[in-house]
Amino acid sequence: MRSKSEEKRQNILNAASEVFRETGFEGASMSDICTKAGYSRATLYSYFPSKEALFLEIMLAGGQSQADAITSALDPATPNVEESLVHFGKALLTFIYSPEILALRRLAIAEATRSDFGHLFYTRSRKQGEIVLTAFLKQAMDAGKLRQADPAVAVAHLSGLLESELEEMFYRSEITPLEPLYIDRITHSAIDVFMAAYGARG
């Protein structure tokens, strides 16, 4: 059974979801959310410090299970690092280039110069994935499955390779899901290049 505090927090999230759906992020205000939820501004701010934090909580909650499934592909005990990275890459691209998540990423970039939304989005989402991927690559390097290198730099290179053919997606007016065969081709191409650079020598 949820506590009163948890119930109140969920009520705020539900009210905020309705307001965001009705008015969009730009048109929504904390006052509107207070009115919809039936709580004071002090109560609202005691749970969420800003509209950006509230919006981010709503958006990320729906994708958390999928994000967990993506990182679960990175099994440190795997004998085939390349295969694990392919599974990871395909799942990652399918998720971060879905219409909902891509729209959120574009919003984070647009808001970066006006609020802390961009930074919040990065630390709550992409940064968490980078931490898991860095640990995976380091363990693979220590086990001799990849050549020794700075794993954080390797993560940056891998991310760049996976997204290198998809930059135009950020500039399209209409966002549609990527075809599985297209994602498969892009992922294999990116991992081929990554393994050529970071594969174990000899």
Side-chain angles (χ1 to χ4, degrees), residues 18-29:
E18 289 186 40
V19 172
F20 286 132
R21 280 198 302 270
E22 293 167 0
T23 66
F25 177 78
E26 290 292 342
S29 70

Side-chain angles (χ1 to χ4, degrees), residues 30 35 38 40 70 105 111 131 140 149 157-158 169 179 195:
M30 293 295 263
T35 300
S40 67
I70 292 170
R105 295 174 71 196
E111 285 292 316
I131 291 171
H157 289 165
L158 178 57
M169 296 283 290
E179 292 293 331
M195 293 302 296

Side-chain angles (χ1 to χ4, degrees), residues 170-192:
F170 282 93
Y171 306 100
R172 292 182 182 176
S173 58
E174 293 185 10
I175 304 173
T176 56
L178 297 175
E179 292 293 331
L181 286 176
Y182 183 49
I183 290 177
D184 185 77
R185 183 191 66 74
I186 288 176
T187 303
H188 275 92
S189 177
I191 301 305
D192 283 347

